[in-house]
Amino acid sequence: MSENATTAEFFFDPLCPWAWLTSRWMLEVEKVRPVHVRWKVMSLAVLNEDKLDDMPPQYREMMETQAWGPVRVVIAARELHGDEVVGPLYTALGTRFHVNGEGPTREAIEGALADVGLPAELIEYADKDTYDKELRASHKEGIDKVGQEVGTPVISVPGADGEEVAFFGPVVTPTPRGDAAARLWDGTLLVASTPGFYEIKRTRTAAPSFE
């Protein structure tokens, strides 16, 4: 990493296809701009645990049965093997969940652990609350940066005078590559450096595209 590289923090839940697309953009940005990404976990399960009664049945079931396992495994891997494993494990999980269409199954998580050479026994933490305190702390860190009523991804970048600014998003499909990735990054820094800027949004008219 260059000494002059800009550090961006990226808070993700492996379950979210939109976070996955944005995360691949951030990897592309690292190729075209002096940027270093720090990968951190937020949790849709934690975010929505007080909202389950108001959710459609299908989404509620996903929060209750599928959302806890992946983030618990990532946090356990971080606690036991260091921050440096978080990004590669996220890539392995997202590739299996979204690109390969395996979904957030136990088998997919086991496969992702094998893909990055992490111990197979980490899968056992999918069903344990051993590191839930650390998971909630990581989630809270991201939410505290950006505020309530957001989802994943959350990115934190330097704003005016180097002050940290965090946003939900950008939400984009397909993943911008090359010059397009650079332009989106430059625009992100531009709005982050604008005092009082909060939001740009429009209705999504396309599904996630995992090209």
Side-chain angles (χ1 to χ4, degrees):
M1 179 181 67
S2 169
E3 292 183 1
N4 297 320
T6 297
T7 296
E9 293 184 329
F10 189 98
F11 290 82
F12 67 90
D13 186 317
L15 198 66
C16 179
W18 295 102
W20 169 255
L21 293 170
T22 307
S23 73
R24 300 310 92 181
W25 164 66
M26 286 305 307
L27 288 180
E28 193 74 8
V29 170
E30 285 189 318
K31 300 176 185 177
V32 296
R33 290 290 186 268
V35 173
H36 170 66
V37 181
R38 291 179 180 167
W39 303 99
K40 298 191 174 184
V41 175
M42 66 180 296
S43 169
L44 291 172
V46 173
L47 182 70
N48 292 303
E49 62 184 345
D50 296 328
K51 308 170 186 175
L52 295 177
D53 290 343
D54 299 323
M55 291 181 178
Q58 185 176 3
Y59 193 75
R60 175 176 179 172
E61 182 181 5
M62 181 172 65
M63 289 298 102
E64 292 177 329
T65 63
Q66 297 179 317
W68 285 100
V71 288
R72 281 174 165 170
V73 170
V74 176
I75 287 291
R78 187 198 73 181
E79 292 298 306
L80 296 172
H81 299 279
D83 286 337
E84 64 273 11
V85 306
V86 174
L89 180 55
Y90 177 33
T91 289
L93 288 167
T95 298
R96 287 179 173 270
F97 289 4
H98 306 301
V99 180
N100 296 349
E102 298 176 39
T105 64
R106 188 178 183 90
E107 292 75 18
I109 299 172
E110 290 174 333
L113 291 169
D115 291 340
V116 294
L118 285 168
E121 55 265 27
L122 283 171
I123 188 62
E124 302 304 325
Y125 290 97
D127 302 315
K128 296 179 179 180
D129 62 2
T130 307
Y131 294 112
D132 277 11
K133 179 179 178 181
E134 289 78 5
L135 171 60
R136 291 178 181 277
S138 182
H139 175 81
K140 184 177 185 297
E141 180 187 358
I143 291 296
D144 284 350
K145 290 177 185 292
V146 75
Q148 301 298 319
E149 301 305 323
V150 299
T152 179
V154 166
I155 62 169
S156 176
V157 300
D161 301 321
E163 182 181 355
E164 183 182 46
V165 176
F167 295 112
F168 163 62
V171 176
V172 59
T173 187
T175 297
R177 307 287 182 182
D179 289 343
R183 288 194 299 270
L184 181 55
W185 172 253
D186 294 343
T188 300
L189 293 185
L190 178 63
V191 296
S193 66
T194 303
F197 175 84
Y198 292 104
E199 184 175 9
I200 293 176
K201 190 173 183 179
R202 62 175 177 164
T203 299
R204 303 176 200 175
T205 58
S209 174
F210 307 114
E211 294 181 358

